[in-house]
């Protein structure tokens, strides 16, 4: 029976709630008496029947009565509601009200409840304030009524139960109950809005007692055992929001102020702790509510009430075992507020409490579970962490510490500033926290906890000083970043990316932080952070330096990283004159055995490579940039060239600096790298030097001069020695180079701003590069250095230069010219030089190339023409082709543009591809663009030429390549000195010997290609500096020969494109061209003939290539088009030179004969592939050629057997006729004279055309069009009568038949 009663009771409650919901939906509440009557009827009906259909009928009847009552009330008494602070819902003009006129109470508009659930926060706030204001008026009016029983009896709404709100007006009691139920609604923003309304209402109307409110919350939001899922969750969250409203209303604080022994604070605290224990998701917000209350209560209330709340002590006791971060947060906040060590915190906080005790290793280990479990609220960071970081990193102290570190970090070689005890304590506690919690607990755990690490560190960045960055970027954290970023599929990939982005944004313009972050990332990744993670983090950070001070700080940190300052500081200096275990003893070979493969060498390698790259993006004035360069230079010179004989520190009193070396001996590989970077630094400084305004002001911006002085100073310190011992020969070379550089520097200062100053400056830098090269490749540069020193003395024979020794003197009459020796020396240095040394060579050549001799120029060109031509190719050429002597371009009759000549077999093609892969630098695309007269082809600027072979390892270019191409069997070596010629013969012999060995063939071929590319860079400089000299023709002819020769150009596509670019940019399309008396017409005639012959060559396939692949055909066809384009462009260029020479017509007879021969081949030979458009362009650009060939062209058009050629040649005649049309009288007379002299030939041509019209309609149209132009010109010059007389009767008839009106009009004009 009991169960039946509970069931009946629950049915009643459901019906009541359903009615209330209906009332809320319609926003109308009938008068209280009517509603009470409806409830009584409902009880009676419910007793009679509980069937669903009966209940539904009763509900409909109640709805009808309610609606009729509302309509009648509106008709009898129109409502005039008060204006609310929010807009009415659903477009209603009047808000619904609770009518209380019969009892004398003000009206309450319940429409505010809808507004409390809206998403707009401002609307919710306005609705809550309006509700509280109206209900306060209602409550005040209610309290003024003496007989409250009448109001209670007639206006109780749903408050019949004993809810403890006897002193509240019915509207207030209704609002309280509805607000409490509303906080459990998940609709839109109902929880927030109703909780806000409850907060304001409870704080405004003090008649609402706390005991009744706490009881109502439990009763209305009761969680029964039958509730599951979302229903139970809504009730629990509703309780949480209701308690939050009570805490924020301030009523508990007011209650304590009135009664110090109030039980409600303890009860409220206990309820929240109990609620937090029910579900994990309630734990943090429940503590947050409790913290809101704590902020409002005084310390006495906290000690006597909150800390004595039931369940709190037990909750604190078990928090460390289960891992309760909210208990730790509550304990920290309570301890901060009361400032007293309570025993209730014994499990969570140290006693006595202090930041240093809180962050000890033992205590942090006990709290590790709390920190681990704070990840449940991800992606949001738990509220515990900001509080914890505030204790760990107090902001004011750290700002002072960071400012002090800024000033102290820029002072080099000073003892570190002594930190105050508080700063040192902060650093120790922070390091302990990072080691125990960040590294020991969170990083070693799940992905969620790794995510938490990055969030916590980002949270600490705004208050983190630069000195703490090494603690944050520890080895474990950097390794975690590397592991995550090396795999894009990682769950934490975007998290790590975001961390790095925020870290980069954090450094901004703070160079101290920037340096610390770079060092931290690279130190724990062995200098490979970017390469492993495939990011540009470190590169972008290094590109952000904008100040001199930042660069200096970075250089200082890199130096410390390389030297390992912490251990080095314990080493005795050279002043102690003692030897310890770390002193450098042993040979250079011993160094290679120490740590060459260790991780430290990887990091040191990055340090060495990074130093010169600082200047890449740096934009400073010349003086500041020079100071940065000096610091980099000192590091590279000290670590690369020298070593300390005693200890690891040396003090130079002359330079007033202390120099340090690592404890472990530096490997020879690292020393070599330092020297290479030193060479690169000097080369870049030479390129970017500013103008030297004062003759005696060179040294401040002359990095080479500073280096030589620095080198000499360190070399003279007894306790400092070179990193490798030099042989007697190399030592002598070193000393002679050093002495010559000093004297050239002195001479340069005396020259002022003259041209010789630039020559001296370039020679000095070449001597410096050669001096450094002696350390890299000992024993290979002694002869070249001797010759270069001789050239320096001969070029600048001054009294202060070194006196000549017997070995330097050259025989009188047999002495070669200075420039020949200099060119030979430069060529011998090219193949074995690094990029910086080639830069120095090119600078020397640039300033001396004006004086180069023809022999020197030819030796350079023969290098480019040298080829490894197999004997089988030579045999085939001897049988099928003409001799090379007949063609200066070296073009064979049948093979010069044969596309299949890249190799007889597929093996040769594969060999070519492999050789190009060995060269590997700047390879162009496989498809060669079609060249035209206006295209720039493969032109490259000087910067490109400098780096054209930058991808090749210098060590791969052996010394024997030096002069392999200077000795040619077809040319003499006159003017070359014996030593240079002997070396070049040796190099050539060695390289050809390697060629015979198939295993070494590809290497030798790639070396030769590399050498040719470097020589081409020198030739490009020559053409740029001497564009109008006659020698340009010599350079052109040899480069054209090399380009057309398939064995040279096709051996390396890069080489062919390089030659093409130089010819196009520096020769054929240069603004200036060869002119003057040195330009011989016979040379131009020969070049013209060969180019026209080349332009006429057909595209042929090699006989052995029966079924060539499409790829080969495409390559061959592209090459054929490029060669033809080169011949055409060269013809235009040669004719321009001839035209500018102002030669007499009689002197040009050979030119006319050449063109006449080309036209004969054009008309009579099918092999001639010369294009009519090409000839038309010649006649358009140089009309004098067309005028001279006009008669011959008319004869050939009329007599040729090929109708196709005849029709095609008509365009040539038409082009010449265009040039005969002139507007001035003198031009008209000359034009008439030419036409009249060829009138008979015109008649023969017209007769031949009209009597033998082509069969195709398109060609017939072209013939008629041409004839029309001829007749028009004849009529223009009034030669109609003479023309008609020369035509016979058959021609007349044919003209009338084929030309129609054109010929008839001509006859009419004649009459």
């Amino acid at each position: 029976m009991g169960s039946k009663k509970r069931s009946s009771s629950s049915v009643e409650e459901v019906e009541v709630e359903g009615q209330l919901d209906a009332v809320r939906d319609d926003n109308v509440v009938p008068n209280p008496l009517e509603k009470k009557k409806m409830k009584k009827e409902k009880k009676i009906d419910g007793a009679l029947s509980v069937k669903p259909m009966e209940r539904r009928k009763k509900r409909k009847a109640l709805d009808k009565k309610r609606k009729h009552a509302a309509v009648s009330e509106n008709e009898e008494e129109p409502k005039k509601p008060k204006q609310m602070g929010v807009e009415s819902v659903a477009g209603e003009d009047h808000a619904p009200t609770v009518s209380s006129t019969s009892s004398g109470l003000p009206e309450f508009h319940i429409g505010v409840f809808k507004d409390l659930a809206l998403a707009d926060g401002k609307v919710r706030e306005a609705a809550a304030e309006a509700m509280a204001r109206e209900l306060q008026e209602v409550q005040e009016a209610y309290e003024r009524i003496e007989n409250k029983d009448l109001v209670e009896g007639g206006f109780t709404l749903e408050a019949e139960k004993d809810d403890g709100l006897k002193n509240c007006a019915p509207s207030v009691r209704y609002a309280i109950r509805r607000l409490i139920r509303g906080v459990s609604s998940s609709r839109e923003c109902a929880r927030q809005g109703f909780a806000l309304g409850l907060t304001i209402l409870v704080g405004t109307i003090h008649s609402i007692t706390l005991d009744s409110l706490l009881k109502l919350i439990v009763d209305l939001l009761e969680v029964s055992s039958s509730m599951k899922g979302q229903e139970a969750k809504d009730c629990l969250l509703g309780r949480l929001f209701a308690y939050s409203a009570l805490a924020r209303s301030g009523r508990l604080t007011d209650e304590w102020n009135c009664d110090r022994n109030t039980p409600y604070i303890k009860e409220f605290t206990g309820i929240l702790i109990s609620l937090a224990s029910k579900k994990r998701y309630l734990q943090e917000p429940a503590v947050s509510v409790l913290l809101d209350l704590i902020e409002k209560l005084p310390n006495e209330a906290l000690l006597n009430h909150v800390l004595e709340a039931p369940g709190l002590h037990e909750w604190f006791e078990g928090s460390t075992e289960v891992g309760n971060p909210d208990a730790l947060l509550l304990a920290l906040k309570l301890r901060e507020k009361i400032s007293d060590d309570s025993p209730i915190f014994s499990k969570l906080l140290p006693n006595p409490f202090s930041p240093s005790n809180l962050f000890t290793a033992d205590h942090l280990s006990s709290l590790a579970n709390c920190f681990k479990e704070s990840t449940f609220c991800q992606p949001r960071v738990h509220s515990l962490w900001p509080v914890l970081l505030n204790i760990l990193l107090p902001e004011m102290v750290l700002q002072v510490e960071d400012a002090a570190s800024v000033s102290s970090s820029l002072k080099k070689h000073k003892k570190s500033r002594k930190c105050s005890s508080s700063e040192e304590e902060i650093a120790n506690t922070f390091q302990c926290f990072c080691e125990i919690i960040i590294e020991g607990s969170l990083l070693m755990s799940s992905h969620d906890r790794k995510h938490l690490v990055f969030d916590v560190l980002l949270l600490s960045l705004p208050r983190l000083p630069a000195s703490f960055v090494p603690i944050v970027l520890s080895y474990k954290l950097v390794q975690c970043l590397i592991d995550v970023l090396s795999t894009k599929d990682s769950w934490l990939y975007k998290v790590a990316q975001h961390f790095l982005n925020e870290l980069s944004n954090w450094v901004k313009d703070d160079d101290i932080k920037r340096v610390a972050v770079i060092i931290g990332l690279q130190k724990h990744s062995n200098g490979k952070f970017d390469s492993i993670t495939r990011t540009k983090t470190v590169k972008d950070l290094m590109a952000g330096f904008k100040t001199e001070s930042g660069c200096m700080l970075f250089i200082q940190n890199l130096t410390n990283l390389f030297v390992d300052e912490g251990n080095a500081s314990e080493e005795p200096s050279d002043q102690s004159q003692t030897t310890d275990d770390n002193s450098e003893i042993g040979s250079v070979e011993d160094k290679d055995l120490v740590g060459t493969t260790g991780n430290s060498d990887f990091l040191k390698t990055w340090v060495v490579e990074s130093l010169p790259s600082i200047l890449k993006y740096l934009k400073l004035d010349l003086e500041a940039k020079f100071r940065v360069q000096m610091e980099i230079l000192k590091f590279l010179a000290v670590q690369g060239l020298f070593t300390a004989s005693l200890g690891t520190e040396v003090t130079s009193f002359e330079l007033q600096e202390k120099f340090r070396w690592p404890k472990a001996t530096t490997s020879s590989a690292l020393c070599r790298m330092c020297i290479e970077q030193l060479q690169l630094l000097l080369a870049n400084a030479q390129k970017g030097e500013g103008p030297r305004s004062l003759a005696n002001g060179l040294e401040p911006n002359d990095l080479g001069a500073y280096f030589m002085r620095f080198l000499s100073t360190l070399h003279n310190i007894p306790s400092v020695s070179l990193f490798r011992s030099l042989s007697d020969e190399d030592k002598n070379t070193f000393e002679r180079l050093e002495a010559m550089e000093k004297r050239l520097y002195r001479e340069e200062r005396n020259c002022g701003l003259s041209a010789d100053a630039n020559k001296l400056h370039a020679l000095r830098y070449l001597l410096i590069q050669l001096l450094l090269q002696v350390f890299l490749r000992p024993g290979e540069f002694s002869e070249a250095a001797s010759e270069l020193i001789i050239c320096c003395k001969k070029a600048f024979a001054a009294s202060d230069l070194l006196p000549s020794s017997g070995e330097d003197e050259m025989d009188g009459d047999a002495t070669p010219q200075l420039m020949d020796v200099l060119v030979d020396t430069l060529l011998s240095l090219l193949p074995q030089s690094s990029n910086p040394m080639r830069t120095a060579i090119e600078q020397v050549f640039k300033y001396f190339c004006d004086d180069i001799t023809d022999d020197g120029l030819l030796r350079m060109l023969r290098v480019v023409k040298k080829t490894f031509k197999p004997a089988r190719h030579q045999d085939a050429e001897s049988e099928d082709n003409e001799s090379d002597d007949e063609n200066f371009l070296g073009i064979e009759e049948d093979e010069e543009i044969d596309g299949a000549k890249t190799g007889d077999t597929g093996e040769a093609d594969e060999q070519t591809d492999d050789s190009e892969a060995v060269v590997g630098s700047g390879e162009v695309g496989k498809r060669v663009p079609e060249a035209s007269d206006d295209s720039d082809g493969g032109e490259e600027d000087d910067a490109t030429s400098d780096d054209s072979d930058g991808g090749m390892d210098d060590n791969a270019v052996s010394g024997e390549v030096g002069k392999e191409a200077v000795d040619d069997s077809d040319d003499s070596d006159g003017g070359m000195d014996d030593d240079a010629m002997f070396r070049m013969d040796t190099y050539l012999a060695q390289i050809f010997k390697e060629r015979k060995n198939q295993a070494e063939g590809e290497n030798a071929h790639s070396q030769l290609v590399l050498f040719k590319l470097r020589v081409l860079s020198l030739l490009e400089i020559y053409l740029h500096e001497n564009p109008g000299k006659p020698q340009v023709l010599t350079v052109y002819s040899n480069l054209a020969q090399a380009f057309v020769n398939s064995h040279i150009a096709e051996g390396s596509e890069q080489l062919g494109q390089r030659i093409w670019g130089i010819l196009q940019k520096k020769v054929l399309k240069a603004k200036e061209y060869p002119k003057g008396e040195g330009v011989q017409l016979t040379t131009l005639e020969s070049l013209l003939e060969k180019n026209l012959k080349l332009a006429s060559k057909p595209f042929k396939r090699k006989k052995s290539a029966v079924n060539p692949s499409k790829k080969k055909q495409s390559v061959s066809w592209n090459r054929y088009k490029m060669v033809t384009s080169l011949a055409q462009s060269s013809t235009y260029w040669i004719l321009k030179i001839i035209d500018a020479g102002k030669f007499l017509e009689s002197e040009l007879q050979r030119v006319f004969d050449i063109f006449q021969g080309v036209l004969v081949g054009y008309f009579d030979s099918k092999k001639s592939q010369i294009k009519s458009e090409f000839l038309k362009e010649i006649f358009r650009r140089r009309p004098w050629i067309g005028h001279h060939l006009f008669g011959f062209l008319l004869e050939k058009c009329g007599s040729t057997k090929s109708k196709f050629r005849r029709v095609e040649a008509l365009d040539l005649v038409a082009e010449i006729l265009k040039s005969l049309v002139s507007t001035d009288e003198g031009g008209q007379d000359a034009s008439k004279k030419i036409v009249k002299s060829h009138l008979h030939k015109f008649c023969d041509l017209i007769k031949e055309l009209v009597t033998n019209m082509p069969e195709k309609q398109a060609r017939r149209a072209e013939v008629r069009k041409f004839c029309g132009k001829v007749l028009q010109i004849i009529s223009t010059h009034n030669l109609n009568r003479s023309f008609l007389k020369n035509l016979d009767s058959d021609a007349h008839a044919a003209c009338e038949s084929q030309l129609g009106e054109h010929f008839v009009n001509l006859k009419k004009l004649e009459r």
Side-chain angles (χ1 to χ4, degrees), residues 1101-1141:
R1101 293 181 175 84
K1102 202 172 182 70
K1103 296 178 182 179
S1104 59
V1106 180
N1107 294 314
S1109 63
K1110 291 183 179 180
K1111 180 180 179 181
K1112 291 181 180 179
Q1113 288 179 344
S1114 176
V1115 171
S1116 300
W1117 176 246
N1118 288 334
R1119 173 164 170 73
Y1120 168 74
K1121 290 192 294 183
M1122 289 190 71
V1123 172
T1124 303
S1125 175
L1126 175 63
Q1128 293 176 358
S1129 301
S1130 300
T1131 301
Y1132 301 145
W1133 180 68
I1134 294 168
L1135 289 175
K1136 180 170 66 173
I1137 299 173
I1138 293 174
D1139 202 11

Side-chain angles (χ1 to χ4, degrees), residues 413-573:
H413 309 302
K414 301 290 184 182
K415 292 185 177 180
S416 59
R417 183 179 57 86
K418 293 183 178 180
C419 300
S420 64
S421 58
S422 61
E423 295 168 1
E424 185 177 357
E425 182 180 341
I426 292 171
N428 292 335
T429 55
F430 184 75
Q431 184 168 3
C432 185
F433 171 78
C434 290
E435 290 176 354
I436 302 301
I437 301 302
I438 299 295
E439 300 174 21
S441 298
L442 299 180
L443 275 182
M444 307 302 292
S445 189
S446 64
H447 282 357
D448 286 334
R449 289 164 185 168
K450 289 184 176 71
H451 189 179
L452 176 63
V453 168
F454 295 125
D455 289 337
V456 171
L457 293 180
L458 288 179
L459 201 62
S460 67
L461 284 183
R463 59 175 64 207
L464 193 71
S467 59
F468 284 19
V469 172
I471 302 175
V472 172
L473 295 180
S474 62
Y475 175 80
K476 290 184 179 179
L477 181 72
V478 174
Q479 289 300 313
C480 178
L481 281 172
I482 290 175
D483 293 340
V484 172
L485 292 172
S486 59
T487 307
K488 284 192 175 182
D489 298 334
S490 172
W491 182 75
L492 292 172
Y493 183 79
K494 291 186 177 180
V495 177
Q497 268 192 330
H498 176 68
F499 176 77
L500 286 181
N501 291 336
E502 292 299 317
L503 194 63
S504 300
N505 295 333
W506 174 64
V507 301
K508 292 184 180 178
D509 296 328
D510 192 331
D511 289 330
I512 300 176
K513 294 178 180 178
R514 183 182 301 276
V515 170
V517 171
I518 295 174
I519 297 298
L521 293 177
Q522 292 294 87
K523 181 178 180 180
H524 300 301
S525 62
N526 293 323
K528 298 180 178 180
F529 186 84
D530 279 356
S531 61
I532 298 176
T533 60
R534 294 187 288 274
T535 63
K536 295 182 179 180
T537 305
V538 176
K539 181 181 177 182
D540 293 340
L541 287 171
M542 290 178 61
F545 288 106
K546 298 178 181 178
T547 63
E548 179 186 355
S549 60
C551 293
M552 292 296 190
L553 178 63
F554 187 43
I555 295 170
Q556 177 187 345
N557 278 265
L558 289 179
T559 303
N560 295 338
L561 189 62
F562 188 94
V563 175
D564 191 12
E565 184 180 23
N567 296 329
S569 61
E570 302 173 0
E571 293 297 314
S573 66

Side-chain angles (χ1 to χ4, degrees), residues 71 206 266 404 537 658 664 733 846 894 905 1056 1288:
V71 170
H206 292 274
K266 285 184 182 180
T537 305
K658 179 187 290 185
T733 301
K846 175 182 178 181
D894 294 328
T905 63
D1288 55 22

Side-chain angles (χ1 to χ4, degrees), residues 494 525 607 717 743 875 983 1101 1142:
K494 291 186 177 180
S525 62
V607 172
I717 298 177
R743 285 155 178 79
D875 295 339
R983 287 200 316 277
R1101 293 181 175 84
K1142 306 297 180 183

Side-chain angles (χ1 to χ4, degrees), residues 953-1017:
D953 186 3
D954 293 323
N955 295 328
V957 187
S958 58
E960 54 269 11
V961 191
K963 297 284 179 48
E964 70 275 9
V966 181
D967 183 20
D968 196 325
S969 60
D970 296 334
D971 300 296
S972 64
D973 291 310
M976 182 183 298
D977 66 293
D978 294 338
D979 292 337
M981 186 165 59
F982 175 77
R983 287 200 316 277
M984 299 176 97
D985 289 340
T986 304
Y987 297 150
L988 283 174
Q990 180 65 27
I991 199 169
F992 279 101
K993 182 179 179 180
E994 289 184 358
R995 178 59 175 169
K996 291 179 182 179
N997 186 351
Q998 188 64 29
E1000 299 290 338
E1002 291 303 324
N1003 186 36
H1005 177 76
S1006 63
Q1007 291 172 8
L1008 181 58
V1009 170
L1010 194 57
F1011 184 33
K1012 289 180 179 182
L1013 289 170
R1014 297 174 180 180
V1015 174
L1016 283 173
S1017 297

Side-chain angles (χ1 to χ4, degrees), residues 100 456 575 843 930:
S100 303
V456 171
Q575 299 173 4
Q843 288 295 316
E930 182 176 359

